[in-house]
Amino acid sequence: MFRHLLPALLSLSVMHAAFAARVDSEETTAAASRFEAVRADPGQLYVFMRNFPKGADLHNHLVGAIYAEHLFEWAERDQLCVDQHSGAISSSKCVFGFHPSKGAVPSRQIIDDPKSYENEIDALSMRNFVPTPDDRSGHDHFFATFDRFLPATFAHDGDMLADVMTQAARDHLTYLELMISPQLGEVARLGASTRVTDEKDISRTAIRLAPHLQHYVKLARGEADAMESKARTLMKCGTEQADSGCNVTVRYLYQTVRTMPPGMVLSQIAFGYALAGADPRFVGVNIVGPEDSPGAMRDYTLHMQMFHVLSEQWPDVKLSLHAGELSDSLVPPDGLENHIRQAVEIAGASRIGHGVDIMRERDPYGLLEELAKRNVLVEINLTSNAQILGVQGKDHPFQTYRAHGVPVALSTDDEGVSRTTLTQEYIRAATTYALSYMDMKALSRMGLEHGFIAGKSLWDSTQPFRLKAACVETDPLTTPENGDCHDLLAHSEKARLQWKLEGNFARFEHTLVSGGLSRN
């Protein structure tokens, strides 16, 4: 009875076989052999992984992505003071011999003293961190750096964006989602006097807040416009001298802060939904801050309910939520039982940031099955998790997620504070776990697959990756001028970026075979 279907099925089988042959071509096989050959050689592995095409960095805080040296350049340019004891940069200027407080010295004085400068870079990042009685843990040192360097970022949004896009290009990255918080303080104050204890309060407050949000939406969009304009100018985009960072596609997640009182958290979240609904550059909402802080732990379920209520009003706004960035040393056992589950089942998150305590949750295997079934991606931040939580190697759930079919992608978190790059994250994964070259390609593709990018995917399936039939017989180094593959790419930004990545893989593998990479 199925005889009439055989020709079509055979044709489809041949097309998929053709793509499989292309994916597993001689050049791909040679790239896999090269990867195994350099895995144990740090220098050669670095060159290999730096040039390796990376699909996306989906978990990157703009304000934490800047290296301390660059922050201090801006502090010196702005003539800001520095507390020579704590290393904190002040918003006050040290000019004309005026020092606003005892111990405050000009940034230039720190730069001119090599020892002071080295200590300053350590204070503003995780470089050379060693616990002391006054600075006892990586967790505390990490989060303390932000208060020390934030004044150096004021009025430098464009510089930060250009810096991060340029680094993304160095890492051969296709797509970047940055967490930013324009107008956060002003929006948070809208809810300062509001009492929120349950979903009824959330609904009533959201209705009351709605008329006040559009003014701040306009201001936030203006901030983003100015930031992007400054970044494009710095990178000389559109000119013959354009920086390669101009070619990196960037979108934003509006990040809300979970450590404030509930009313202030709600006003931020409501604003994030309104902004994402009004500006296509803002592709989703997140919530940040130490998950183990007393207020965040106490109000965690309430925060998830806020997302649940607002998602009913804004069903098209996507969520990537920090959840499970916890360890046994930070909170009691009952604090580890349900954060990831609530982020998925109550808030409706499409992606989870960190997810480190998955095996401490109630019914972890059931939760893993649910994450896989719902296709919820976990953003893996290996360096950050080692520094902040002390969780790494076999203690990290990276391989557990993969073994249970949960999609994962590597990301940087706060690459400046952590002194890492996406290249270093790939190297860490390659040297810590038994990953093949095709595993690394899958990680790269998976990040782009789960980016909050408009349009249909290039892929028919992702475990394993199987191209849509429309593009199976099309060379990824070409841009189809007509036909079904052309139509898919023409109508989908996601598919176009994925096609770009496939072309980058083809070029990378050809360069490896021709010996060109060894000369880079």
Side-chain angles (χ1 to χ4, degrees), residues 303-476:
H303 294 162
M304 297 304 105
Q305 290 170 338
M306 293 175 186
F307 286 110
H308 173 74
V309 170
L310 287 160
S311 287
E312 290 183 337
Q313 299 178 26
W314 303 88
D316 295 329
V317 174
K318 296 181 173 62
L319 303 178
S320 173
L321 300 183
H322 284 65
E325 191 184 5
L326 299 168
S327 67
D328 298 316
S329 63
L330 293 178
V331 298
D334 60 349
L336 301 166
E337 290 185 339
N338 57 26
H339 281 198
I340 299 171
R341 185 179 294 280
Q342 289 192 56
V344 173
E345 294 181 350
I346 298 177
S350 299
R351 300 197 316 245
I352 294 295
H354 298 285
V356 176
D357 73 351
I358 180 75
M359 299 311 290
R360 302 295 191 272
E361 293 237 352
R362 289 195 300 269
D363 185 19
Y365 294 108
L367 180 56
L368 286 163
E369 183 179 355
E370 182 176 0
L371 293 173
K373 184 176 180 179
R374 291 185 181 222
N375 199 30
V376 174
L377 177 124
V378 180
E379 302 153 359
I380 300 292
N381 305 289
L382 294 173
T383 298
S384 170
N385 296 157
Q387 292 174 341
I388 298 174
L389 305 177
V391 177
Q392 57 188 317
K394 61 181 175 53
D395 295 325
H396 195 283
F398 172 64
Q399 291 287 63
T400 300
Y401 282 122
R402 295 182 68 245
H404 287 83
V406 179
V408 294
L410 299 174
S411 44
T412 56
D413 199 9
D414 295 271
E415 59 185 325
V417 176
S418 290
R419 312 288 290 189
T420 189
T421 63
L422 194 56
T423 292
Q424 294 290 0
E425 296 305 299
Y426 273 79
I427 290 171
R428 190 174 189 125
T431 55
T432 304
Y433 306 105
L435 301 176
S436 68
Y437 176 70
M438 293 307 295
D439 290 331
M440 304 304 283
K441 287 184 77 168
L443 287 170
S444 177
R445 289 167 169 161
M446 197 69 81
L448 201 49
E449 172 70 11
H450 286 264
F452 294 157
I453 313 164
K456 294 181 179 179
S457 173
L458 186 69
W459 301 102
D460 223 11
S461 68
T462 60
Q463 296 191 18
F465 277 89
R466 181 178 293 113
L467 205 66
K468 276 192 166 64
C471 296
V472 164
E473 296 185 320
T474 306
D475 187 338

